[in-house]
Amino acid sequence: EAVESSRGDEEACAAMQSDVMAFQLECETDLKAAEPVIAEAEAALNSLDKKSLGELKSFGSPAAEVVQVASACIILTAPGGKIPKDLSWNAGKKMM
């Protein structure tokens, strides 16, 4: 009886291992697809300088996409992962 129980456990473990390996392969594929995008984003960030940020801060009311990016930066840099209530353009300029 113990041998039969062990075989059942062994089969369950083999099935679980198969699922984990499939998930690992999927994650590796996703990571390979994301790495070039991350490298491109890092290169874009490295192209920013103080003059560019000054120009950005001088915008009175920029395009909605610019405000969205500033809001995303506020959220990503929020201390303790706490999302601030104010995600306006003025808050974005203060963050810069």
Side-chain angles (χ1 to χ4, degrees):
E1 186 176 312
V3 173
E4 289 298 321
S5 176
S6 296
R7 284 192 183 124
D9 290 344
E10 187 177 323
E11 290 171 1
C13 287
M16 189 182 298
Q17 181 183 16
S18 175
D19 291 344
V20 168
M21 290 178 73
F23 184 66
Q24 180 181 6
L25 181 61
E26 182 183 338
C27 290
E28 288 172 354
T29 303
D30 290 346
L31 179 61
K32 284 181 185 175
E35 284 175 335
V37 175
I38 293 169
E40 188 177 323
E42 286 177 343
L45 284 173
N46 289 333
S47 71
L48 290 176
D49 57 11
K50 191 172 183 175
K51 181 181 173 189
S52 298
L53 289 176
E55 180 182 353
L56 184 62
K57 286 172 69 172
S58 72
F59 293 161
S61 53
E65 293 85 357
V66 174
V67 176
Q68 289 174 344
V69 170
S71 296
C73 291
I74 292 170
I75 291 168
L76 292 171
T77 59
K82 231 178 163 183
I83 298 175
K85 291 181 183 179
D86 187 7
L87 299 175
S88 67
W89 174 240
N90 284 333
K93 289 195 294 187
K94 286 178 188 174
M95 184 251 333
M96 288 184 236

